[in-house]
Amino acid sequence: MKGSSISQKPPVLILLGPPGAGKGTQARMLEERFGLVQLSTGDLLRAAVASGSDAGKAAKAVMEAGDLVSDDIVIAILRDRLAAPDCAKGVILDGFPRTTLQAEALDQMLAESGQQIDSAIELEVDDAQMVTRIAGRFTCGACGEGYHDTFKVPEVADTCDCCGAQDMTRRADDNTETVMSRLDAYHEQTAPLVAYYADKGALRRVDAMGQISDIQDAIAALTEHVMP
Ligand code: AMP
């Protein structure tokens, strides 16, 4: 039922889950379907690295090793982005927070504008399959659509189904060794956030091992509850 927990403030959703769980794919769906803005700290950090900014220089080696970038840097980047006018439509956080300190900083940032988290949606996945999922993925460099060597192959090789560009890219940290570090970082530093949001009554869970469309439907149903 739409609007059972109506908030007058723009919705704030978090997607929680290990690398490869499908947070980016699902966040893009929520963007298109509900007009929410996807905030991916991974994307923001990759842009900072590409721009050669001080934050980017500090983050580069950490990201290549599959470790977490320091809370100070990530919180500052997220705070700036959250203040941009388009975020007034409501946001879907993808890859943030990743530590308890980040979660507390987010609560504080939102409280400053009278907001709070509406839902933290955990994408539940089988760890063993995450390496396969990540190692095979690639993205259209023009429009950002995601693909996979096995699970989502473009209709025409090397050509984006969505925009027709021939500009597929693979992330430098999507290799088996770095993926293992990223999974370790998830379990050690991010998984405790499941309990953090459960304690606040904000945690929702979705089985994220099935078909992308079924997962989308489950997440969309949860999102409808928090749309004004
Ligand atoms: P992602 O695109 O979310 O998989 O993030 C790629 C990499 O960026 C991660 O492996 C981290 O090194 C870094 N990163 C992204 N978001 C965060 C965050 N919230 N806190 C710390 N590091 C992050």
Side-chain angles (χ1 to χ4, degrees):
M1 184 178 62
K2 184 176 174 177
S4 65
S5 62
I6 290 177
S7 119
Q8 297 309 308
K9 299 284 181 182
V12 181
L13 294 162
I14 295 172
L15 290 183
L16 274 177
K23 299 187 294 295
T25 302
Q26 298 300 337
R28 280 167 57 84
M29 177 277 292
L30 292 176
E31 237 184 5
E32 281 168 26
R33 194 150 161 182
F34 295 98
L36 299 170
V37 174
Q38 174 191 11
L39 296 190
S40 155
T41 42
D43 285 348
L44 294 170
L45 286 165
R46 280 184 285 279
V49 170
S51 77
S53 67
D54 288 345
K57 282 178 193 149
K60 188 169 188 288
V62 181
M63 292 172 75
E64 280 169 1
D67 295 328
L68 293 190
V69 175
S70 80
D71 287 328
D72 289 359
I73 291 178
V74 181
I75 290 167
I77 285 181
L78 197 270
R79 180 183 283 279
D80 275 2
R81 182 64 187 89
L82 207 48
D86 62 335
C87 292
K89 295 187 266 183
V91 296
I92 173 86
L93 294 166
D94 155 15
F96 185 96
R98 263 176 157 99
T99 65
T100 304
L101 206 140
Q102 291 178 18
E104 290 167 352
L106 176 64
D107 286 344
Q108 201 181 328
M109 274 182 239
L110 294 174
E112 283 163 16
S113 54
Q115 286 176 271
Q116 59 181 16
I117 304 296
D118 290 288
S119 294
I121 302 173
E122 183 194 6
L123 304 186
E124 293 184 295
V125 291
D126 170 2
D127 232 41
Q129 289 200 28
M130 290 307 100
V131 179
T132 320
R133 275 205 197 181
I134 296 176
R137 70 185 183 181
F138 53 99
T139 306
C140 171
C143 76
E145 185 68 8
Y147 294 93
H148 192 279
D149 290 329
T150 309
F151 308 123
K152 190 180 167 196
V153 182
E155 282 175 24
V156 179
D158 299 325
T159 306
C160 181
D161 295 346
C162 293
C163 75
Q166 293 190 316
D167 183 22
M168 298 299 185
T169 58
R170 289 182 194 255
R171 278 171 47 174
D173 60 350
D174 276 353
N175 58 74
T176 306
E177 192 184 328
T178 310
V179 171
M180 299 307 287
S181 303
R182 289 162 64 200
L183 283 171
D184 285 349
Y186 177 79
H187 288 294
E188 282 165 26
Q189 292 164 274
T190 309
L193 296 183
V194 170
Y196 181 91
Y197 289 112
D199 284 350
K200 291 178 179 292
L203 185 71
R204 306 287 179 269
R205 289 194 152 107
V206 166
D207 175 358
M209 290 306 294
Q211 295 293 319
I212 292 179
S213 57
D214 293 341
I215 304 165
Q216 279 187 359
D217 289 346
I219 294 176
L222 292 172
T223 304
E224 274 179 16
H225 277 279
V226 301
M227 292 305 293

